[in-house]
């Protein structure tokens, strides 16, 4: 492929990626929405985004408010269609001592001071992805800010609408929608929730019921066991030394699953860890705003920007991280002469 053909392939991939990413956005002009998504790829903070796309900073912030309630499900559905998918659930930050976190400033939107760890830590988002089991491509379908209980109380005092919900409550609100939209064959969790078609891992302190007795899983030697966990029958798979990482305890609610089935489904879960890393590379933790809605808008914009990056990456078969692809996109974007020349918007007739 010559250089001109390569450029054309890049331009086409960018155009297709932006069309997909714009699918769920409403209430914004296409050109404005496209600029914001590209800005979210190239710039980390809101001020950097505004500078990159030559948009007034206050206008950029107001547009974040409009993006706040955007659903990613519609866009991802267009990509994966009715393919069988693995639903993967995790959070973007592994510290769950929500009762011990307090805001460090009046905005308190993204960063909290943790009394237990005695350090500043980023806020937590509940992240849900789907992995297309035909193409092995993974996409974010939901990213929901998880408001610590103490922070919810402070936000209410300021007059903002903020309701504390546990991660399970947040997930259960989304689950019926996800199951109706996608062909979900497996759900991969940590140990905090068990449902049908669930594969996960238990901590050594977790207790299961065997023969009417509550037993810590750490007492089981390597092997397979039919037990109950949180009232649900599971197949427990104990691996004495999993990849040199010590003893591990995997489970599946499908009692017919083989050890290979369980391990394969669990290892596919690693894809969500990669996406969390990619979100942070695009600046997920770089926002701090006066309102919780604006903070949510920033988080959603970063998720949309990553969807754009992944669509571009997968269509060209690239094997690069989000940061390197962001630099490539910036180069292509600049060489094209800007958004008006790169994308030719047409009115629907």
């Amino acid at each position: 492929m010559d250089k001109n053909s390569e450029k054309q392939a890049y331009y086409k991939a960018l155009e297709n990626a932006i069309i997909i990413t714009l699918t769920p956005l409403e209430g914004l002009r296409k050109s404005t929405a496209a600029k914001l998504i590209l800005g979210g790829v190239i710039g980390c903070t809101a001020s950097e985004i505004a500078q990159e796309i030559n948009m007034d900073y206050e206008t950029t912030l107001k547009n974040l408010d409009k993006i706040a309630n955007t659903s990613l499900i519609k866009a991802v559905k267009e990509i994966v269609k009715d393919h069988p998918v693995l639903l993967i659930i995790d959070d973007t930050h592994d510290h769950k001592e929500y009762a011990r976190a307090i805001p460090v400033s009046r905005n308190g939107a993204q960063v909290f001071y943790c009394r237990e760890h005695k350090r500043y830590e980023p806020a937590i988002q509940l992240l849900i992805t789907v992995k297309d089991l035909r193409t092995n491509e993974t996409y974010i379908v939901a990213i929901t800010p998880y408001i610590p209980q103490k922070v919810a109380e402070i936000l209410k005092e300021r007059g903002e609408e903020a309701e504390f919900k546990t991660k399970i409550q947040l997930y259960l609100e989304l689950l019926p929608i996800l199951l109706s939209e996608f062909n979900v064959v497996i759900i991969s969790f940590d140990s905090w929730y068990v449902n049908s078609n669930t594969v996960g891992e238990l901590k050594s302190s977790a207790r299961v019921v065997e023969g009417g007795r509550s037993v810590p899983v750490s007492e089981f030697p390597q092997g397979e066991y039919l037990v109950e966990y949180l009232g649900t029958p599971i197949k427990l798979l104990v691996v004495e030394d999993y990849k040199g990482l010590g003893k591990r305890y995997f489970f599946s609610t499908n009692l017919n699953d083989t050890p290979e089935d369980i391990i394969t489904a669990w290892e596919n879960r690693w894809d969500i860890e990669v996406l969390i890393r990619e979100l942070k590379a695009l600046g997920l933790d770089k926002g701090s705003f006066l309102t919780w809605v604006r903070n949510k808008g920033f988080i959603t914009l970063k998720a949309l920007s990553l969807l754009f990056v992944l669509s571009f990456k997968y269509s060209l078969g690239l094997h690069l991280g989000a940061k390197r692809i962001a630099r490539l996109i910036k180069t292509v974007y600049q060489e094209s002469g800007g958004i008006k020349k790169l994308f030719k918007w047409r009115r629907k007739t």
Side-chain angles (χ1 to χ4, degrees):
M1 183 182 291
D2 59 39
K3 192 169 183 180
N4 186 57
S5 297
E6 186 178 67
K7 280 186 178 181
Q8 290 304 314
Y10 283 164
Y11 294 160
K12 186 64 177 177
L14 282 178
E15 184 175 13
N16 290 338
I18 204 70
I19 289 170
I20 289 170
T21 313
L22 290 178
T23 302
L25 282 168
E26 298 176 356
L28 287 173
R29 294 177 59 185
K30 282 187 175 181
S31 57
T32 299
K35 284 180 181 180
L36 289 165
I37 290 167
L38 284 166
V41 171
I42 299 166
C44 286
T45 66
S47 59
E48 289 172 350
I49 292 170
Q51 184 177 4
E52 288 288 350
I53 63 177
N54 195 28
M55 182 179 289
D56 178 78
Y57 181 62
E58 288 300 321
T59 303
T60 302
L61 295 181
K62 289 177 181 177
N63 282 323
L64 290 181
D65 294 343
K66 295 178 182 179
I67 292 173
N69 293 316
T70 300
S71 171
L72 300 164
I73 293 174
K74 185 177 179 181
V76 177
K77 176 66 175 179
E78 288 291 318
I79 300 171
V80 304
K81 305 185 184 305
D82 292 322
H83 294 179
V85 300
L86 167 66
L87 193 65
I88 314 172
I89 298 92
D90 203 351
D91 51 51
T92 60
H93 186 49
D94 62 6
H95 183 216
K96 304 174 181 65
E97 297 292 335
Y98 55 83
R100 302 179 188 225
I102 59 173
V104 299
S105 66
R106 68 190 179 95
N107 51 26
Q110 279 276 67
V111 182
F112 305 97
Y113 181 76
C114 172
R115 288 192 177 118
E116 180 175 324
H117 291 165
K118 295 182 174 56
R119 66 189 182 200
Y120 296 101
E121 298 185 340
I124 301 168
Q125 289 86 38
L126 177 67
L127 187 67
I128 303 177
T129 65
V130 294
K131 178 168 184 174
D132 188 327
L133 296 176
R134 288 191 187 175
T135 64
N136 287 323
E137 297 170 357
T138 308
Y139 303 94
I140 297 172
V141 291
I143 180 166
T144 306
Y146 174 67
I147 307 176
Q149 190 170 30
K150 195 173 291 293
V151 175
E153 293 171 1
I154 294 172
L155 290 173
K156 283 183 179 179
E157 290 174 2
R158 297 178 192 161
E160 290 195 53
E161 293 184 8
E163 182 181 357
F164 170 72
K165 296 178 182 178
T166 67
K167 287 189 300 183
I168 293 177
Q169 287 173 319
L170 288 171
Y171 167 67
L172 289 179
E173 288 179 0
L174 288 167
L175 183 58
I177 301 170
L178 296 168
L179 292 178
S180 67
E181 291 289 338
F182 298 101
N183 180 17
V184 178
V185 295
I186 311 172
I187 303 173
S188 181
F189 261 104
D190 271 338
S191 59
W192 50 271
Y193 185 69
V194 178
N195 200 349
S196 58
N197 298 322
T198 303
V199 171
E201 182 183 7
L202 299 177
K203 296 179 180 179
S204 60
S205 59
R207 302 182 75 90
V208 296
V209 176
E210 183 190 40
R213 296 187 310 118
S214 177
V215 186
V217 293
S218 58
E219 293 188 6
F220 289 86
Q222 178 160 311
E224 303 171 50
Y225 306 89
L226 296 179
V227 296
E228 282 191 8
Y229 177 64
L230 300 179
T232 301
I234 65 170
K235 174 175 277 190
L236 175 65
L237 174 65
V238 181
V239 180
E240 195 64 40
D241 188 17
Y242 175 72
K243 296 186 175 181
L245 299 174
K247 199 172 183 181
R248 304 286 285 272
Y249 312 91
F250 305 104
F251 73 87
S252 173
T253 56
N254 184 344
L255 305 184
N256 294 318
D257 274 353
T258 66
E260 291 75 19
D261 293 333
I262 297 172
I263 293 296
T264 298
W266 176 250
E267 290 181 344
N268 274 328
R269 183 183 174 278
W270 175 251
D271 287 13
I272 198 170
E273 302 293 347
V274 174
L275 290 192
I276 290 172
R277 184 182 64 201
E278 301 287 53
L279 273 171
K280 291 179 178 179
L282 293 182
L284 178 69
D285 297 336
K286 302 296 183 182
S288 187
F289 304 93
L290 293 178
T291 67
W292 187 255
V293 170
R294 190 159 292 171
N295 176 63
K296 187 178 178 183
F298 180 80
I299 291 169
T300 304
L301 176 62
K302 287 301 175 181
L304 286 164
S305 296
L306 181 58
L307 175 59
F308 173 73
V309 166
L310 293 175
S311 300
F312 178 78
K313 171 182 176 177
Y314 292 147
S315 66
L316 293 172
L318 301 175
H319 300 282
L320 302 171
K323 202 68 176 177
R324 291 182 65 184
I325 290 181
R327 288 197 291 267
L328 173 60
I329 288 173
K330 183 174 183 178
T331 300
V332 176
Y333 173 72
Q334 290 175 335
E335 288 182 355
S336 71
I339 193 168
K340 289 184 179 179
K341 293 185 178 180
L342 181 59
F343 305 116
K344 300 177 179 63
W345 306 107
R346 298 180 176 87
R347 291 180 180 272
K348 291 185 177 180
T349 58

